[in-house]
Amino acid sequence: MALKMVKGSIDRMFDKNLQDLVRGIRNHKEDEAKYISQCIDEIKQELKQDNIAVKANAVCKLTYLQMLGYDISWAAFNIIEVMSASKFTFKRIGYLAASQCFHEGTDVIMLTTNQIRKDLSSPNQYDTGVALTGLSCFVTPDLARDLANDIMTLMSHTKPYIRKKAVLIMYKVFLKYPESLRPAFPRLKEKLEDPDPGVQSAAVNVICELARRNPKNYLSLAPLFFKLMTSSTNNWVLIKIIKLFGALTPLEPRLGKKLIEPLTNLIHSTSAMSLLYECVNTVIAVLISLSSGMPNHSASIQLCVQKLRILIEDSDQNLKYLGLLAMSKILKTHPKSVQSHKDLILQCLDDKDESIRLRALDLLYGMVSKKNLMEIVKKLMIHVDKAEGTTYRDELLTKIIDICSQSNYQYITNFEWYISILVELTRLEGTRHGHLIAAQMLDVAIRVKAIRKFAVSQMAMLLDNAHLIASNTQRNGICEVLYAAAWICGEFSEHLEEANQTLEAMLRPKVTTLPGHIQAVYVQNMVKLYASILQQKEQAGEKEAAQEITQLMIERLPQFVQSADLEVQERASCILQLIKYIQKLQVKEVPVAEEVIALFAGELNPVAPKAQKKVPVPEGLDLDAWINEPPSDSESEDEKPKTIFHDEEQRHSKPRHPEMDEEELARRREARKQEQANNPFYIKSSPSPQKRYQDTPGVEHIPVVQIDLSVPLKVPGMPMSDQYVKLEEERRHKQKLEKDKKKKKQKKEKRGKHHRHNSLHTESEEDIAPAHHVDIITEEMPENALPSDEDDKDPNDPYKALDIDLDKPLADSEKLPVQRHRNAEALKMPESEVPPVEKKSKKPKKKEKKHKEKEKDKGKKKEKEKKVVEEEEEEKKEEDLDFWLSTAPPPGSAAQPQSGPQTSAAVASEPEGVKKEEREEQQEEEEEDEGKKSSKHKKKKHKKEKEEKSKDKKKSKKKHHHSEEEMAESVQNGTLDDEPLPPMSSYRLLAENPYIKTTYDIQGNLQNDSQVTVSVIFENKSTSFLKSMELNVLDSLNTKMLRPEGSSVHDGIPVPFQLPPGISNEAQFVFTLQSIVMAQKLKGTLSFIVKNDEGSTHEKLDFKLHFSCASYLITTPCYSDAFAKLLESGDLHMSSIKVDGISISFQHLLAKICFHHHFSVVERVDSCASMYSRSIQGHHVCLLVKKGENSVSIDGKCSDPTLLSNLLDEMKETLSKC
Amino acid sequence: MQFMLLFSRQGKLRLQKWYVPLSDKEKKKITRELVQTVLARKPKMCSFLEWRDLKIVYKRYASLYFCCAIEDQDNELITLEIIHRYVELLDKYFGSVCELDIIFNFEKAYFILDEFLLGGEVQETSKKNVLKAIEQADLLQEEAKTPRSVLEEIGLT
C-alpha cells in the first residue's frame, strides 16, 4: 500500500502543472487540438488517482481548457470531489471550476448542497467566502431553497467580509427562489444601516436591483434612501441610490420634487463623470414623471442640457456618446431645449465614430421642423453618398424616411421634394430597404392626392429606367420600388401623359427576371393602364391605335403566362383571355372602353394598420365558444378523419360571408360619408384635383417641364431634390414678400436686410405654408373601432416573480426551510433559541414543532391580532411616507428630516398629549395649504388622520397611537407584544420662553466615530414672526459644534428657516467629540428676532445641551451567537445596578431601555433579557436585565468601564422614574 | 452586470465570468460574436455598443480587451470604472500586470475578480480591502502547503 502511494507521488512529480500545460499549448501552435486531447487523456488518468492534490491540479488544468472552449462537463463529479477537499488550496480550485462550468442543467449539482452548507458554516471565513462566491455563479432554484436560511444567517455574521458576500448573494437567491424574499427582507433592510460601509453598500446594491424591477414595493424605503443619499460620500453607493430614485419617482411625483434639489446640487458639485451622468439621467426621469405644467423646472432641464453639451463637446468619445444618448431622453419631453443645440448635433454627424453618428441620427428625428427639414435631409443625403459600409447607409436611409414621415408627414411642406428624395434613394446600391422606400411611395401617392400627378410621372420614369434598378443582381433589395412604381402608374393612370410608353416599358421581356410578386403587380397594373389608354383612344376616335394597343398586349402577355410563378401565370392567362375577347369585340367595332374601365372603378382608400384588430365583436358573438363541440377523448383514432370530413361539409354548406342587407350597407356608407365630411384631413372627392394643384402658389416653378424623360435619372451636377430645395426657398421667400407687402408700413428698409440674409432663418415656423394644400387622407378604421392599445407585458420576465409586497407583515407560513436533522455542526440560529412567546409576525423563522399545538388554540386570536398589526403598519407606512413627502424643507437648509420614522417621531410623539394635538393641527394646516392644489389622495389622508385623532381623543392620554407604532419601530428586533406601550419620545425639552419652545434629540453618526447630530425642533408659540434665528454654544475641550469653515468659535450657526406664528420646524447641528465615555453639558444661546405689527425686537434664549452617554450609542442588532462570543472574549469590564420599586411590566421596561438608551434585545427568556448596543466609537455594551418582584437588576459589560458606569447611572435615572 | 470577458487582440479568450446562467453553447456563441464585433471596432471609437438588448462596455489595456455586458439601465461610466478598478487590482497584485501573468495565473485573476465583484455587483469598493482579502487567502494557501512534503503526504513521517 505504502509503496503504491510512494509510486503515486513520484508520478506526481512528473505530472504537468498548469504552467506546463499553458506552456505546452503555446509551444504546439500547429497541432494544438492534438496536444490538448493528449493532455485531456493525461488529466483523465490523474483524476482517477486517490491523491487529492493530483486531482486538484487536474481540475485546475481543466478549468483552463474550459476557457479555451473544451467541454469539461464530464468531470463535474471530480470537481465536486475537489470542492469538498478539506484544504483551502484545493477547495478554492474546486469552487472556481464549479463556478465556471456548472449551470442549471448540471445534474450532479444537487450533490453539492450539503458540502456547500458545511463550507458556509466553516469557522474559516475564507472557506465561507469561497463557497458564497462559487454559489453566486451556479445557484439553482433547489440550492436557493435549501440554502436560503443558511445564507440569511450569514447576513449577521460577525465578519463584515462574510456579511457583504451573504447580502449580495441574497439577490441571486431571491431570483431563484422568490419565496425567500419576504422572510429575508427585514434583515436585508437592517443591513442598510450596517456599521461596515462595504456591507451597507452591498445592501444598497441588492435593494436597488430589486427595486428597479418592481419599484412600487419599495416606495416606503424612500425616506431611508434619501437619508443615505444625503449622507453618503461613496460614489458607488450614490449612483445606485440615485438610480433607485429614478425608478421610484414615476410612482410618486412628490418624491421627484423633493429630489430635484439634492440632485442638482450634486450635478453642480461632483467631479465624477459617472455620478454626474447618473444624476442627469435621474433628473430627466424625474422631470418626465412630473407633470409638464411645472415651469420652474426649466432651470433643471437647462442645467442638464448644458452639462450634456459639455459632455458632447468633450474630446472623449465615450462622454460624447453618452451625452447624445441622454439628450435623446430629454428630447422626448423637452424638444425645445434640445433643438437649440442643433449645431452641435449636426456636427456629430461628421464624427469619425459610427456609433456616435448613429446616436446623433436618433436625435435628429426630434429636431426637425418645417423650417429645417429640407436642410437636414440634404445633409443626410450627402452622408448617404459618402457612407462606406451598407449598414450605416441603410441606417441613414431608414432615418431619412423616419424623419420625413413622422407624425403623418407633419414637417413636409413640399411633397414633390419628398418624392424626388425617395427616387434619389433608389439609386442606393445594395440596400436592404427597398420595401421601405416602396411603402413610402405608395403611402404618399395614395394619401396625398395633390401629388399624384407628379408621383405618377416620376414612377413612370422609374419604370422606364427599370433596367438600371433591376439589372444588378446585387441590388435586388431595391427592385421592390418597381412594385410601388407599377402600382402607382396603373392605379392613377389617368395622370399619365405618355401612357403608351409606360405600358411598353412594363411589357419588356426583361421584366420576367423580376421576382414573382413584382411581376404579378406588373401584370395586374398593365391592364389598368391598358384600360385607360383604350378609353383615351376610343374617345379620340382613334380606332386603329386602340387595336394596335390590344395587339401589343396579346403579343407580349404570353411571356407572363409562361412564368414559373403561379400568381403571375394565373393573372396573365386570365387577362390574356380577356384581352382576346376585347379584340374580338373591337373587330366588330363595339365600343368596349367603358366596360373595361369599369373593372377598376372606384377608389382604394388606405386602411389603418390596426383596423382589423379594432373591429368590434358583434353582440352575441362569442369568439371563444366552440363552433362544434370538440371531439371527446373517447373517440378512437379511426373516427377522426370522419369528423374532419363532416366539418368540411358543414363549412361548405354555410355561406362564406355573412350577407349584409342593402339597407345596412347604405346606412354604413352614409355614416362614413358623414364622418369623412367632418374630418378636416379627409379629402373629399374634389371635382378636379389637378386644378387645385395648379392653383397653388409657386406651381409655375414646378419643374415637370424641366424633366426630360429621356435623360437618365441623375441630373448631372445637381441632384433633383436640390432643385426643390431651391424652389422651396424661393417660394417661401415669395410668400414672405407678399406678406410684407401687406404690412407695408416702415418695413421697407428691413425687408432689404431680410433679402440679403437668407430669409429662411428668420421666418418663424408658422409662416411657412405648405407648397400645396396637401390634405392627408386618414387611414380608414372600421366603425365603432375599439380604442384599445393594451400593452401586453412580457409574461416571461424573470423579475416578475419578485413583485412581492414587502410591507405586509409575515405570515406564519412564510419562513425559509430549515434543515433540521443534518446540520449539527451548523451555526446555531439565534432565532431558534428565542422562546415562542415573543414571536411576532415580523420574525421570519420559528420553531415549528413547539408551536403547532399552541397555534391551534391561538389561531383565531392571532389572526385578529395580525389584522390589527397589518392595518396599523399599513397606515403607518403611508403616513410616514406622506408626511416625509409633504414636508418640503426650505431650500438649502440643513434640516433634511433624517428619516421617516424619526420625523414622525418628532411630530407625533411629544411628551404631552395636548401639545401633540396642537401639533397635528398645525401640521394639518400646513398640509391644507399644500393640499389646495392637490389630489384626492391627500384628502383621503386627511380624513384618515382626523378619524385617527378622534380615536385618540377617546383613548386615554397614555395610549397614544403614534407613539405605539413608534415604539414598535424602534424596538426593531425586540419585543412587540400586543400590550399597548406608553408614549415615548426621544425629544427632550431644551429651553422654552413665551416666544419659542425648543426640543432636541441627539443621534450618533454611523459614518463618523467622532460626530453626533443634534436635531432641534423649534416651535413658534407666539403670534409673531420669528426670524434670523441663530444658535450658538460654548464649545468645551471635548465637544465642539461643527461650524462652517472660516468662522470662529464665537460665531453662531444660523437656523436655515424662519418661523411663522404657530409653526415648527427642525434643524440639525453636528458636533464633534473626542471622548464619549462621559456625559457632557454645553451651555448655549439661541438668538432670534421677533417681528410683529409693532416692530421687531431681539430676543435670546439660554439653554443647556445635555449629551448623555446613551446618545453616543447606536441601536445595533446582534444575534445570540455573536453575543455569546463577545461575552466569552473576556476583555469586557463588568458593573451592575439594582433599582427598586419598579412597577411597570418587563416588556415596557425593555422598550424603555431600547428607546431611550438605544439598545436592542438580543434574546429574552421570561423575565430576563440580554441586550446589546454599540457606541459610535465601537465600544460594545452588553446588558443582562433581570426583573424581580419589585426590582430590576442590570448587569452590564462594556469595553470601557467609565462608559459603562455612566450608562448604568443614566439607566438608573430613567428606571427610577417608572 | 451579466458577464465579463477578457480576450487578446488575436481574439483568444483569457478570462470569462458569467453572472447569468447560460449553457456552454450559448456562452460560446456570445463570446464568438462579441469578440468579433469588438475587435472590428476602430481604436478611436467609443467604448460602448448596443448588442441584442444589452449594452457592451469594453476597454483595451495593452493587448487585452476587457469587455462587460450590462443591462439597459446600468451606468456605462461606472462599468468602465469597474474595469479600470479590476485592472488596477491586477496590476497591484502582479506588479505591472501583463497578458502572460493572466495566462499563467489565470486562477489568481479569477480569485481577484471574485473578491471584487460578486454576482455581477460590486462587492468591495476599497482596493485595499480586496487585496488584503486575497493576500490573506493566499497566505492560508501557503500555510496549507508548506508543512506538506512528499514524505508527509504519504504518511511516512
Side-chain angles (χ1 to χ4, degrees), chain A residues 13 81 92 135 151 192 239 251 263 269 331 497 539 564 596 759 791-792 795 811 881 999 1021 1104 1115 1165 1198:
Chain A
M13 290 196 265
E81 280 181 313
R92 209 180 184 189
L135 193 59
I151 299 171
L192 284 175
I239 286 179
L251 303 173
L263 286 182
S269 62
L331 187 71
E497 285 179 359
Q539 276 168 0
V596 179
S759 61
D791 48 348
D792 5 357
L881 192 64
T999 49
K1021 300 202 300 176
K1104 263 186 193 168
T1115 316
V1165 185
C1198 173

Side-chain angles (χ1 to χ4, degrees), chain A residues 315-340:
Chain A
S315 59
D316 185 344
Q317 298 290 80
N318 292 338
L319 297 182
K320 195 174 280 225
Y321 177 90
L322 293 178
L324 291 168
L325 196 66
M327 269 296 193
S328 62
K329 287 181 196 154
I330 298 186
L331 187 71
K332 280 172 205 142
T333 48
H334 299 79
K336 283 262 160 62
S337 331
V338 182
Q339 270 160 12
S340 54

Side-chain angles (χ1 to χ4, degrees), chain A residues 1054-1170:
Chain A
V1055 179
F1057 47 78
Q1058 304 181 334
L1059 284 181
I1063 298 297
S1064 61
N1065 204 342
E1066 184 180 277
Q1068 292 177 341
F1069 303 90
V1070 178
F1071 286 77
T1072 57
L1073 7 96
Q1074 285 165 353
S1075 160
I1076 58 157
V1077 297
M1078 302 255 271
Q1080 303 270 334
K1081 272 184 184 164
L1082 290 188
K1083 276 187 185 173
T1085 318
L1086 175 74
S1087 60
F1088 52 95
I1089 293 174
V1090 183
K1091 199 183 169 190
N1092 50 25
D1093 301 340
E1094 294 138 38
S1096 37
T1097 50
H1098 205 264
E1099 293 288 337
K1100 271 189 177 172
L1101 177 64
D1102 290 328
F1103 60 82
K1104 263 186 193 168
L1105 201 53
H1106 181 81
F1107 292 87
S1108 63
C1109 284
S1111 54
Y1112 305 135
L1113 296 184
I1114 293 174
T1115 316
T1116 316
C1118 180
Y1119 293 94
S1120 47
D1121 48 350
F1123 189 78
K1125 268 186 199 158
L1126 205 63
L1127 288 181
E1128 283 163 14
S1129 69
D1131 30 60
L1132 300 184
H1133 302 268
M1134 186 172 157
S1135 180
S1136 26
I1137 53 162
K1138 191 170 180 193
V1139 187
D1140 290 319
I1142 304 284
S1143 53
I1144 61 167
S1145 75
F1146 188 55
Q1147 191 242 334
H1148 283 189
L1149 186 98
L1150 290 183
K1152 261 194 179 326
I1153 297 176
C1154 286
F1155 189 71
H1156 290 296
H1157 299 273
H1158 305 158
F1159 275 85
S1160 61
V1161 177
V1162 178
E1163 59 184 294
R1164 176 185 158 183
V1165 185
D1166 300 328
S1167 57
C1168 189
S1170 53

Side-chain angles (χ1 to χ4, degrees), chain A residues 351-395:
Chain A
D351 200 281
K352 50 194 175 304
D353 185 347
E354 192 179 295
S355 28
I356 287 178
R357 290 198 302 257
L358 288 174
R359 285 279 148 247
L361 272 182
D362 284 347
L363 274 171
L364 274 185
Y365 181 81
M367 313 202 80
V368 290
S369 61
K370 285 183 180 170
K371 204 163 54 178
N372 62 17
L373 175 74
M374 287 181 155
E375 180 196 348
I376 287 179
V377 171
K378 185 178 166 189
K379 210 171 151 96
L380 292 181
M381 291 299 284
I382 296 172
H383 279 282
V384 171
D385 283 341
K386 280 196 298 191
E388 50 209 62
T390 47
T391 24
Y392 179 57
R393 209 170 41 195
D394 280 357
E395 190 63 29

Side-chain angles (χ1 to χ4, degrees), chain A residues 152-408:
Chain A
M152 199 165 94
T153 316
L154 290 178
M155 277 165 70
S156 319
H157 199 271
T158 46
K159 299 247 169 54
Y161 177 81
I162 299 301
R163 284 209 300 274
K164 71 183 180 210
K165 279 180 192 278
V167 168
L168 277 177
I169 201 181
M170 274 322 268
Y171 180 60
K172 296 278 163 189
V173 173
F174 294 151
L175 282 177
K176 297 287 173 193
Y177 179 55
E179 289 87 338
S180 61
L181 179 58
R182 274 170 51 76
F185 195 71
R187 197 174 288 187
L188 183 60
K189 206 170 132 189
E190 266 168 31
K191 295 294 140 199
L192 284 175
E193 292 180 297
D194 196 280
D196 183 85
V199 182
Q200 202 186 13
S201 125
V204 168
N205 263 343
V206 172
I207 294 187
C208 285
E209 283 306 307
L210 289 169
R212 260 167 60 183
R213 319 291 181 191
N214 299 297
K216 68 172 191 304
N217 303 328
Y218 300 85
L219 257 183
S220 58
L221 289 179
L224 185 59
F225 276 107
F226 194 82
K227 182 182 144 203
L228 281 175
M229 181 176 85
T230 42
S231 61
S232 176
T233 50
N234 182 338
N235 282 352
W236 303 79
V237 173
L238 273 178
I239 286 179
K240 281 281 174 186
I241 297 178
I242 290 169
K243 192 182 290 298
L244 167 80
F245 276 127
L248 291 184
T249 38
L251 303 173
E252 180 53 272
R254 284 180 292 168
L255 183 61
K257 268 193 235 166
K258 216 176 166 80
L259 281 171
I260 286 287
E261 203 201 306
L263 286 182
T264 41
N265 287 346
L266 270 177
I267 292 178
H268 276 300
S269 62
T270 186
S271 58
M273 278 302 174
S274 46
L275 183 58
L276 173 80
Y277 180 61
E278 197 62 53
C279 286
V280 169
N281 262 334
T282 301
V283 168
I284 296 169
V286 165
L287 291 176
I288 289 172
S289 71
L290 290 177
S291 53
S292 50
M294 307 205 71
N296 43 338
H297 287 310
S298 60
S300 319
I301 272 292
Q302 227 43 52
L303 176 70
C304 289
V305 175
Q306 266 167 28
K307 286 282 174 187
L308 291 179
R309 188 177 172 105
I310 295 173
L311 290 190
I312 297 173
E313 280 171 338
D314 200 287
S315 59
D316 185 344
Q317 298 290 80
N318 292 338
L319 297 182
K320 195 174 280 225
Y321 177 90
L322 293 178
L324 291 168
L325 196 66
M327 269 296 193
S328 62
K329 287 181 196 154
I330 298 186
L331 187 71
K332 280 172 205 142
T333 48
H334 299 79
K336 283 262 160 62
S337 331
V338 182
Q339 270 160 12
S340 54
H341 299 283
K342 201 186 84 195
D343 56 319
L344 188 64
I345 286 151
L346 283 175
Q347 216 174 301
C348 289
L349 278 183
D350 297 321
D351 200 281
K352 50 194 175 304
D353 185 347
E354 192 179 295
S355 28
I356 287 178
R357 290 198 302 257
L358 288 174
R359 285 279 148 247
L361 272 182
D362 284 347
L363 274 171
L364 274 185
Y365 181 81
M367 313 202 80
V368 290
S369 61
K370 285 183 180 170
K371 204 163 54 178
N372 62 17
L373 175 74
M374 287 181 155
E375 180 196 348
I376 287 179
V377 171
K378 185 178 166 189
K379 210 171 151 96
L380 292 181
M381 291 299 284
I382 296 172
H383 279 282
V384 171
D385 283 341
K386 280 196 298 191
E388 50 209 62
T390 47
T391 24
Y392 179 57
R393 209 170 41 195
D394 280 357
E395 190 63 29
L396 274 168
L397 190 151
T398 42
K399 271 283 133 50
I400 291 176
I401 289 179
D402 276 355
I403 287 173
C404 292
S405 62
Q406 67 176 307
S407 37
N408 247 340

Side-chain angles (χ1 to χ4, degrees), chain A residues 523-760:
Chain A
V523 172
Q524 187 74 14
N525 283 286
M526 60 181 72
V527 195
K528 293 183 194 168
L529 256 181
Y530 166 76
S532 77
I533 296 173
L534 208 60
Q535 193 187 28
Q536 222 180 332
K537 302 287 177 198
E538 272 190 13
Q539 276 168 0
E542 300 170 33
K543 279 180 200 159
E544 275 188 22
Q547 281 176 1
E548 256 170 49
I549 203 85
T550 313
Q551 189 54 39
L552 179 74
M553 289 291 276
I554 290 173
E555 275 168 24
R556 297 283 181 84
L557 269 175
Q559 61 183 339
F560 295 107
V561 176
Q562 294 158 8
S563 170
D565 191 284
L566 262 186
E567 180 86 13
V568 181
Q569 200 187 77
E570 189 187 6
R571 287 190 194 198
S573 45
C574 217
I575 286 162
L576 187 60
Q577 288 313 312
L578 180 75
I579 290 181
K580 280 182 180 161
Y581 179 66
I582 292 171
Q583 197 181 29
K584 273 183 202 163
L585 291 174
Q586 273 181 335
V587 173
K588 290 178 191 160
E589 303 213 349
V590 183
V592 284
E594 282 306 316
E595 280 166 59
V596 179
I597 220 107
L599 283 176
F600 308 106
E603 195 171 347
L604 295 174
N605 277 335
V607 175
K610 283 180 187 160
Q612 176 99 47
K613 213 168 96 190
K614 299 207 170 182
V615 176
V617 179
E619 240 175 274
L621 175 65
D622 181 5
L623 288 175
D624 293 328
W626 289 102
I627 297 173
N628 295 306
E629 280 305 308
S632 67
D633 292 339
S634 62
E635 269 178 327
S636 70
E637 291 269 314
D638 336 62
E639 275 175 284
K640 269 185 183 167
K642 211 175 167 187
T643 15
I644 289 170
F645 180 64
H646 185 65
D647 270 358
E648 206 89 47
E649 256 188 353
Q650 262 196 347
R651 220 178 289 147
H652 281 302
S653 65
K654 270 192 227 164
R656 271 280 161 91
H657 306 287
E659 274 178 289
M660 246 182 281
D661 54 300
E662 278 302 303
E663 240 182 68
E664 171 71 3
L665 276 175
R667 200 180 56 75
R668 286 196 184 176
R669 213 174 290 133
E670 204 48 50
R672 190 164 52 228
K673 272 186 189 158
Q674 197 83 47
E675 198 186 89
Q676 285 165 356
N678 294 334
N679 189 340
F681 290 111
Y682 191 85
I683 187 161
K684 287 125 229 161
S685 45
S686 55
S688 62
Q690 238 163 311
K691 209 179 160 196
R692 282 167 72 94
Y693 174 68
Q694 253 143 36
D695 286 344
T696 46
V699 164
E700 302 86 70
H701 302 280
I702 290 175
V704 189
V705 214
Q706 288 173 19
I707 301 166
D708 187 349
L709 287 182
S710 61
V711 176
L713 265 178
K714 196 170 176 179
V715 179
M718 186 191 253
M720 233 173 53
S721 59
D722 283 0
Q723 298 173 355
Y724 291 97
V725 175
K726 265 198 164 176
L727 286 170
E728 178 71 10
E729 275 170 28
E730 274 171 37
R731 186 184 68 81
R732 286 182 191 177
H733 184 66
K734 225 180 180 182
Q735 232 174 36
K736 193 169 161 49
L737 284 181
E738 271 164 30
K739 259 191 191 162
D740 283 354
K741 265 181 211 164
K742 278 179 200 163
K743 290 180 187 169
K744 277 180 190 173
K745 285 180 193 171
Q746 299 156 4
K747 291 253 170 166
K748 281 178 185 169
E749 308 96 311
K750 270 191 185 173
R751 208 203 306 152
K753 269 185 194 171
H754 279 299
H755 199 85
R756 241 161 275 145
H757 308 294
N758 196 343
S759 61
L760 239 179

